[in-house]
Amino acid sequence: PQEQIARRVFKRQRQAVISMLREAKMKAEVEELRSVESKLAKGSKRSGMHAAYSARILLEGVANHLFPPTKEKWVGRDKQERSLGAKDFKNRLIAFVEKRLTGQLEGEEFRAFVGTLDLVMRWTGGGPHGSHEPDDAEHLYTRLLDALSVIARAYAAQSA
């Protein structure tokens, strides 16, 4: 029963992400997600490293589409001023979610999203020194889907 529940949750999450990418016409990002999955299926440390890089390209593409770079600064809930330039795609993803889900994603749930995104960013930015063992990479892929599913929820709120 636990495996069935986990499989259903995973399937729903992945479908929400794919639906958002397709609806937003992010064809390259759909392909990048498939590339991550294909690389992880190989099960080697080297393929895990390549999957992490593909995941980074995926996140950057999503950010560029949903919250394009700007010279403006963003002051988030924590009252910290953050850059929203081209290299600051993590900040742009957080700002997108925060703007779209104000009043819906609060407290611990918002902090969990930011923490998950931080964890995924460490994986995707670790280069050859990151955690790319097959089990770690697969776990981090599920965390990537966690973060992207919150972004998909924010996208759906924007579209509604």
Side-chain angles (χ1 to χ4, degrees):
Q2 298 94 337
E3 287 179 15
Q4 290 174 338
I5 293 168
R7 198 173 300 122
R8 280 195 310 265
V9 169
F10 173 81
K11 195 173 182 177
R12 270 195 311 267
Q13 241 182 1
R14 185 178 180 280
Q15 188 54 51
V17 170
I18 294 282
S19 294
M20 173 199 63
L21 296 174
R22 286 185 175 151
E23 185 178 320
K25 298 183 179 10
M26 291 190 258
K27 186 176 181 180
E29 287 71 19
V30 171
E31 292 307 315
E32 210 60 60
L33 179 62
R34 289 189 176 130
S35 177
V36 170
E37 294 165 344
S38 167
K39 290 168 184 167
L40 288 176
K42 293 179 182 173
S44 70
K45 187 173 182 175
R46 185 185 242 337
S47 62
M49 185 169 51
H50 290 289
Y53 184 68
S54 288
R56 184 176 190 84
I57 293 169
L58 167 63
L59 287 170
E60 188 170 7
V62 169
N64 288 343
H65 188 86
L66 298 177
F67 200 115
T70 180
K71 292 182 181 185
E72 294 177 26
K73 302 286 184 184
W74 169 259
V75 178
R77 297 175 188 201
D78 59 2
K79 307 296 185 229
Q80 298 285 326
E81 185 177 83
R82 291 193 167 66
S83 297
L84 300 172
K87 293 182 180 182
D88 305 306
F89 60 94
K90 179 186 106 174
N91 289 349
R92 291 186 281 125
L93 291 170
I94 293 169
F96 177 78
V97 166
E98 190 170 341
K99 281 178 130 180
R100 300 293 187 251
L101 294 179
T102 298
Q104 297 176 46
L105 189 71
E106 298 297 328
E108 283 302 314
E109 192 178 9
F110 181 75
R111 284 189 291 281
F113 163 69
V114 173
T116 298
L117 194 55
D118 284 341
L119 180 64
V120 170
M121 292 300 295
R122 281 194 300 277
W123 173 52
T124 66
H129 309 292
S131 178
H132 306 297
E133 293 298 333
D135 287 349
D136 292 342
E138 288 173 354
H139 171 72
L140 289 161
Y141 163 74
T142 66
R143 302 307 300 269
L144 171 67
L145 285 181
D146 286 343
L148 286 170
S149 68
V150 173
I151 294 164
R153 184 173 148 199
Y155 178 79
Q158 172 193 10
S159 300

